[in-house]
Amino acid sequence: MDSVKGKIIRGVGGFYYVASGADIYECRAKGAFRKEGLKPLVGDDCVIDIIDENAKTGNVSEILPRRNSLFRPEVANVDLILIVFAVKNPDPSLNLLDRFLINLELEKLPCIIAFNKEDIDADSDGEKYISVYENAGYDARLISALTGEGFDELFDSLKGKTVALAGPSGAGKSSTINRLFGKEISQTGELSAKISRGKNTTRHSELFIIGEDTYICDTPGFTSFENRGIEKENLWKYYPEFISHEKNCRFAGCSHISEPDCGIKTATE
């Protein structure tokens, strides 16, 4: 029995769809995984034993070591988070964006912040947002999923990565994925036909192939966060722009709210 390495791009109804090169294999997972308490996740690199090469069926026989895994959505081996917010219509919730960024700092995951709908930004509000987040040390971009503005550079930044998409409703996440599909070089038509059985079921995380070794994760429900596991006294540590100024605080354990001689408050001014 031949074996190949691949990546799980979708799991539904006990079937796992594994991309290996230009091929998509429909697989079951071996029962030993349940005994080991190991659940295959979308994004897992794996080994599959091929049952029928013509029918493209097989069994997932091994899950390779994970670099990371997210709980909500359940996806493994994420290299980058692409956060999409609209410049306007709707106006961006910067509080929600900060919650995203705090969680990504906690998970030590890099991100790109893409402000979409640049084409309707007559007041250039996007430039102001870009300035704020670039000064905080983030990679922030202006894009338009309608016109394609900024997508050449964005696509180049995603090459060779597994990317999870995040952002609120109305920001243009679906149109962003569709625009990225315009640069597709993989056989996604075959994929769509092969996994159509799950279209009317509850949506699951799914990796879309947008280039060679390049995947983007459609993540239902990945629109808000609860900032768990962070004590309020330590929250400032997850704002990277604070770090270099904290040494100028007079008091150890400064909350940066009411204390005198606070380096962070001085920097804010």
Side-chain angles (χ1 to χ4, degrees):
M1 184 180 295
D2 292 333
S3 297
V4 296
K5 290 183 179 180
K7 183 181 285 289
I8 297 175
I9 57 175
R10 192 176 192 231
V12 62
F15 288 92
Y16 296 93
Y17 296 88
V18 178
S20 180
D23 296 320
I24 307 294
Y25 293 87
E26 182 179 82
C27 300
R28 292 279 194 177
K30 69 176 186 179
F33 290 144
R34 287 191 295 274
K35 296 177 183 177
E36 298 166 4
L38 178 61
K39 176 185 177 182
L41 298 178
V42 167
D44 270 333
D45 296 313
C46 64
V47 176
I48 64 171
D49 297 330
I50 298 173
I51 296 173
D52 187 326
E53 181 61 49
N54 292 324
K56 294 293 185 285
T57 58
N59 289 320
V60 179
S61 59
E62 182 181 357
I63 301 296
L64 300 178
R66 291 170 181 160
R67 299 190 303 278
N68 56 51
S69 62
L70 301 180
F71 173 69
R72 186 171 178 262
E74 286 190 306
V75 59
N77 299 318
V78 173
D79 299 304
L80 180 73
I81 306 292
L82 176 60
I83 305 175
V84 178
F85 272 72
V87 174
K88 55 182 56 181
N89 192 26
D91 291 339
S93 168
L94 300 184
N95 180 276
L96 177 59
L97 177 52
D98 280 0
R99 288 176 179 269
F100 277 122
L101 296 175
I102 289 166
N103 274 271
L104 297 183
E105 292 291 335
L106 184 64
E107 298 288 344
K108 295 181 171 56
L109 280 170
C111 70
I112 293 174
I113 307 168
F115 287 99
N116 188 28
K117 305 187 183 181
E118 184 269 345
D119 52 285
I120 61 171
D121 186 21
D123 299 323
S124 298
D125 289 332
E127 296 290 350
K128 301 171 189 174
Y129 299 139
I130 296 297
S131 176
V132 167
Y133 287 96
E134 282 187 339
N135 286 336
Y138 290 101
D139 182 343
R141 321 272 187 94
L142 276 176
I143 63 169
S144 170
L146 180 64
T147 68
E149 178 71 27
F151 270 80
D152 286 341
E153 296 82 359
L154 179 60
F155 188 79
D156 285 342
S157 298
L158 306 184
K159 283 182 179 177
K161 295 181 172 65
T162 296
V163 182
L165 193 67
S169 298
K173 297 191 300 297
S174 295
S175 54
T176 295
I177 287 181
N178 290 339
R179 175 64 68 168
L180 290 168
F181 265 120
K183 293 185 173 294
E184 173 198 11
I185 60 173
S186 296
Q187 298 177 4
T188 51
E190 175 189 340
L191 168 63
S192 297
K194 192 170 183 65
I195 63 178
S196 61
R197 71 171 69 211
K199 284 186 176 177
N200 295 320
T201 62
T202 302
R203 294 179 65 214
H204 298 263
S205 296
E206 179 177 345
L207 290 183
F208 293 103
I209 306 167
I210 60 171
E212 185 176 359
D213 295 325
T214 306
Y215 306 87
I216 192 161
C217 189
D218 178 28
T219 50
F222 198 17
T223 56
S224 62
F225 280 113
E226 294 180 24
N227 297 111
R228 296 179 177 178
I230 304 175
E231 298 295 333
K232 63 182 185 297
E233 293 82 6
N234 293 325
L235 184 60
W236 68 271
K237 296 178 181 178
Y238 299 93
Y239 285 81
E241 67 270 38
F242 284 7
I243 303 301
S244 63
H245 301 289
E246 192 268 343
K247 63 179 182 290
N248 298 320
C249 294
R250 184 202 298 183
F251 300 105
C254 182
S255 67
H256 321 299
I257 297 173
S258 57
E259 296 89 342
D261 300 325
C262 171
I264 289 173
K265 287 196 296 180
T266 300
T268 302
E269 295 169 2

